[in-house]
Amino acid sequence: MSVIEPTVTQKFHDSFIENNKLNALQRGVVKNGITASAQNQQSEVNNVPVFSVDIATGKVANQKQSGRCWMFAALNTFRHKMINSFNLKDFELSQNYTFFWDKYEKSNYFYENIIATADQELDSRKVAFLLATPQQDGGQWDMIVSLFQKYGVVPKTAMPESSNSSNSRDLNNYLNKKLRKDATILRELITAGKSAAEVQSVKETMLEEVYNFLATSLGTPPETFDFEYRDEEKSYHLDQKLTPQSFYEKYVGVNLDDYVSVINAPTADKPYNQTYTVEMLGNVVGGKEVKYINVDMSTFKKLAVAQLEQGESVWFGCDVGQSSTRDSGIMSLDAYDMNDLFDIDFTMTKAQRLDFGESLMTHAMVLTGVDVIDGTSTKWKVENSWGEKVGDKGFFVMSDAWMDEYTYQIVIRKELLSKELQEVWKQEPTVLAPWDPMGALA
């Protein structure tokens, strides 16, 4: 290994001090910060929020200080349908209800993985991976499907937000403490030769403690409730003694098995037109398997356009922190010019960013519009879940080039796939490692 000689550093220092342009640049960046100094106003001119296809959605929701974007995005796609079908205004489904069951199921999923890996050393990569983050707020599409299919949904009035769903830091901190403590007990029982039935009995006690912890922190999920509302015409409606499952069937009515996850991952280990899954990725034991079909970007975008043109919004996952502005809501490759600011080439290909840990899916939102000019998409309307004080009343504009580079997943009706891709979908998926970037939780 080569050390840095003081003479080399002195040379760099002297060269910087003597460069008037760098000194002027230093004053601006030190005063205003890196991103503010690099922000390019032309990106707003290039991404005017006007779209040839624009779905009515109502006001945006706000996940607040939590990592529930994936469930907000999924519930928002249902909300769009319900607003249009039942003439609702300012309506939301309960994110807290779904949050409760996700935490409950993730705890059991963690316990089962700890039991399954009990024969491995603590420093094995899989056990270390499990213990690093026993559970968190994030998730993926197939995980939310598992929750909806098992527990249904309820209106927000049936289970409103709580302090701990809106700000989940403490809840996650103490739930993970408990899960790690329980992992020590489960592994010790198995090492001591206890039977599977004895281990499961202890696990059931642990799950009851998890349930009580969640009910105390988030509230008790309703088993039945009344749905009472006035529509946009001020007409009164009352539907009594609904269950979460009957509410879903009557008011949402979406067959979730009709949808598939489509990804764009242009890495050498994931050839296009094949299916993939990720080991140890899920929340509901016995629930829907996480499964993707990998396609090229041209096909990816055509599928999204097709669904939007049929009046249906699109759940999608991306790396939202890359080249996007929170205040103006612009997601564009020219939002900041870091290369010119520092005279450093930060450019990497999409595949390189995935392979070298520079990018992965960090956030899920909803595509609610697209601007198609001469048959080609040019920019996309994005419904975020950060409230109305960001972007254009909570909506963002994503350039087509940004989608190419930083969007990784969309959820599409299976019927929109070509016949060839529908046949590919039937294949058994290739299993990716638990730490593969496609297993990132939004």
Side-chain angles (χ1 to χ4, degrees), residues 187-207:
R187 285 178 62 93
E188 287 169 359
L189 289 172
I190 294 169
T191 300
K194 299 298 182 181
S195 69
E198 290 175 299
V199 172
Q200 286 296 321
S201 177
V202 172
K203 191 200 77 170
E204 185 174 325
T205 300
M206 294 172 174
L207 270 178

Side-chain angles (χ1 to χ4, degrees), residues 241-257:
K241 297 182 179 179
L242 292 162
T243 67
Q245 290 81 3
S246 67
F247 178 85
Y248 182 89
E249 292 171 6
K250 183 173 182 178
Y251 289 97
V252 180
V254 175
N255 183 354
L256 294 166
D257 291 329

Side-chain angles (χ1 to χ4, degrees), residues 176-387:
N176 282 335
K177 282 179 185 291
K178 171 174 172 48
L179 295 179
R180 291 191 183 99
K181 167 68 179 300
D182 291 347
T184 69
I185 297 170
L186 292 172
R187 285 178 62 93
E188 287 169 359
L189 289 172
I190 294 169
T191 300
K194 299 298 182 181
S195 69
E198 290 175 299
V199 172
Q200 286 296 321
S201 177
V202 172
K203 191 200 77 170
E204 185 174 325
T205 300
M206 294 172 174
L207 270 178
E208 182 178 9
E209 292 174 343
V210 169
Y211 184 95
N212 292 342
F213 171 83
L214 293 173
T216 302
S217 303
L218 301 173
T220 307
E223 295 181 339
T224 61
F225 58 92
D226 298 340
F227 184 36
E228 187 176 23
Y229 68 95
R230 287 190 183 274
D231 61 26
E232 285 274 34
E233 305 302 323
K234 307 300 182 184
S235 297
Y236 174 76
H237 302 265
L238 173 63
D239 200 348
Q240 295 178 298
K241 297 182 179 179
L242 292 162
T243 67
Q245 290 81 3
S246 67
F247 178 85
Y248 182 89
E249 292 171 6
K250 183 173 182 178
Y251 289 97
V252 180
V254 175
N255 183 354
L256 294 166
D257 291 329
D258 290 341
Y259 291 80
V260 298
S261 288
V262 178
I263 62 170
N264 175 251
T267 51
D269 64 329
K270 300 180 188 70
Y272 289 143
N273 301 333
Q274 293 188 24
T275 60
Y276 301 89
T277 188
V278 180
E279 185 182 359
M280 299 198 310
L281 178 61
N283 55 350
V284 178
V285 174
K288 186 176 176 63
E289 177 188 45
V290 172
K291 184 179 179 181
Y292 323 109
I293 183 169
N294 194 20
V295 302
D296 62 82
M297 202 63 207
S298 175
T299 302
F300 186 94
K301 291 191 291 189
K302 286 177 181 176
L303 289 169
V305 169
Q307 187 156 301
L308 288 167
E309 287 181 335
Q310 293 184 11
E312 185 174 358
S313 53
V314 178
W315 187 102
F316 80 102
C318 66
D319 189 357
V320 71
Q322 301 273 7
S323 198
S324 65
T325 66
R326 188 182 181 95
D327 53 353
S328 56
I330 301 296
M331 304 160 72
S332 178
L333 301 185
D334 63 354
Y336 303 100
D337 197 338
M338 294 295 178
N339 288 2
D340 282 353
L341 180 67
F342 291 108
D343 194 23
I344 294 173
D345 184 4
F346 292 100
T347 307
M348 299 173 74
T349 67
K350 190 174 189 178
Q352 287 172 335
R353 287 192 293 269
L354 288 170
D355 282 338
F356 286 83
E358 170 54 26
S359 183
L360 43 65
M361 190 169 72
T362 62
H363 191 52
M365 296 179 283
V366 183
L367 298 174
T368 62
V370 61
D371 206 21
V372 179
I373 299 176
D374 297 328
T376 302
S377 57
T378 60
K379 60 181 183 289
W380 305 76
K381 185 177 182 181
V382 174
E383 180 185 24
N384 206 340
S385 53
W386 293 345

Side-chain angles (χ1 to χ4, degrees), residues 118-141:
D119 60 336
Q120 299 183 28
E121 296 295 327
L122 276 174
D123 60 358
S124 75
R125 191 168 185 184
K126 287 184 180 179
V127 176
F129 176 82
L130 290 170
L131 294 175
T133 310
Q135 63 77 44
Q136 57 174 289
D137 287 356
Q140 292 207 2
W141 172 260

